[in-house]
Amino acid sequence: GDSVTQMEGPVTLSEEAFLTINCTYTATGYPSLFWYVQYPGEGLQLLLKATKADDKGSNKGFEATYRKETTSFHLEKGSVQVSDSAVYFCARSSGAGSYQLTFGKGTKLSVIP
Amino acid sequence: ETGVTQTPRHLVMGMTNKKSLKCEQHLGHNAMYWYKQSAKKPLELMFVYSLEERVENNSVPSRFSPECPNSSHLFLHLHTLQPEDSALYLCASSRTPIAGGLNTGELFFGEGSRLTVL
């Protein structure tokens, strides 16, 4: 079945460090790919998305490129801030007939001053 | 403020209690979802409603009973739960149901209801 694998956390970085959170997905069908973010005490909110191969999603300084050849959608940011501390979830849309977004387990990011 | 409101934010109940979680969306969306979020596990989709009809039920035990009286409201009725049901229950909505790769629509989540079963 469909699955999403993202790097285990937690990840702790100093402010202004470079961030990469790896995400790979099973290559069934032609999924759309998403990154959601969950700040402490809140629900998930969409951070960025890409709908086809080679698309780059970007928002708030974060970027991710849909790589079909490596079935990856890694999240990057050049300079993290304390306010980026949150849990990040990679997700893919599922196959035809299913209403499910398949999520990864989440990666907790802590940014220290 | 995401436009999706869940109540209560926290709930503690015994295994013999009956309680309900409520979700309301103010976004004019046609699809609503219940997800379960447990520590160190992926989000689990429980139910999907599209235009007030249940379109997906992911093998959820019958002690969880959803209700969608209209496109703006979604309930999750809880009865004789187990301690392992303790989790964060998230409601979400979307403009149209996310189905396969055809709909790239965004899910809008509420802040969740933290449930503890004693």
Side-chain angles (χ1 to χ4, degrees):
Chain A
D2 297 331
S3 67
V4 173
T5 303
Q6 60 183 108
M7 62 188 288
E8 295 277 331
V11 174
T12 302
L13 294 174
S14 297
E15 210 165 17
E16 299 183 4
F18 184 85
L19 169 71
T20 300
I21 300 178
N22 291 337
C23 172
T24 57
Y25 62 94
T26 50
T28 52
Y30 302 92
S32 295
L33 302 174
F34 306 84
W35 277 101
Y36 279 80
V37 59
Q38 186 177 30
Y39 297 104
E42 299 184 13
L44 279 72
Q45 54 186 276
L46 181 67
L47 180 61
L48 53 84
K49 68 180 183 183
T51 58
K52 61 183 187 297
D54 300 325
D55 271 2
K56 177 185 283 188
S58 61
N59 185 26
K60 299 181 181 179
F62 291 89
E63 293 183 340
T65 301
Y66 191 142
R67 301 284 188 201
K68 190 176 179 183
E69 63 277 10
T70 55
T71 62
S72 64
F73 192 56
H74 304 322
L75 182 69
E76 297 182 336
K77 186 173 185 181
S79 176
V80 294
Q81 306 301 311
V82 172
S83 57
D84 294 326
S85 298
V87 182
Y88 292 82
F89 294 88
C90 186
R92 60 156 284 165
S93 58
S94 293
S98 169
Y99 294 86
Q100 182 156 286
L101 277 188
T102 301
F103 286 86
K105 291 184 179 181
T107 302
K108 183 175 182 180
L109 171 66
S110 296
V111 180
I112 54 177
Chain B
E1 176 60 48
T2 65
V4 180
T5 304
Q6 291 188 241
T7 54
R9 293 292 309 277
H10 300 273
L11 177 63
V12 179
M13 59 187 290
M15 289 190 285
T16 58
N17 293 157
K18 287 185 182 181
K19 298 286 184 182
S20 296
L21 306 181
K22 179 183 176 182
C23 176
E24 183 174 1
Q25 58 95 0
H26 313 277
L27 302 168
H29 289 166
N30 291 320
M32 297 187 76
Y33 311 73
W34 278 117
Y35 279 88
K36 177 182 179 183
Q37 185 178 23
S38 304
K40 301 189 187 303
K41 294 176 66 174
L43 266 72
E44 302 171 54
L45 179 66
M46 301 176 73
F47 302 104
V48 180
Y49 277 82
S50 172
L51 298 172
E52 300 144 48
E53 286 194 20
R54 191 188 313 180
V55 295
E56 189 145 330
N57 175 349
N58 277 359
S59 303
V60 179
S62 59
R63 57 185 184 269
F64 295 92
S65 175
E67 179 189 3
C68 187
N70 54 62
S71 60
S72 298
H73 293 85
L74 184 65
F75 294 89
L76 187 63
H77 303 301
L78 314 170
H79 178 48
T80 59
L81 295 190
Q82 305 298 311
E84 60 264 29
D85 296 323
S86 299
L88 182 68
Y89 289 84
L90 292 165
C91 175
S93 69
S94 64
R95 188 165 52 86
T96 54
I98 292 178
L102 301 178
N103 184 331
T104 60
E106 176 181 351
L107 283 179
F108 290 77
F109 283 86
E111 294 181 328
S113 293
R114 173 71 62 186
L115 173 66
T116 302
V117 181
L118 302 177

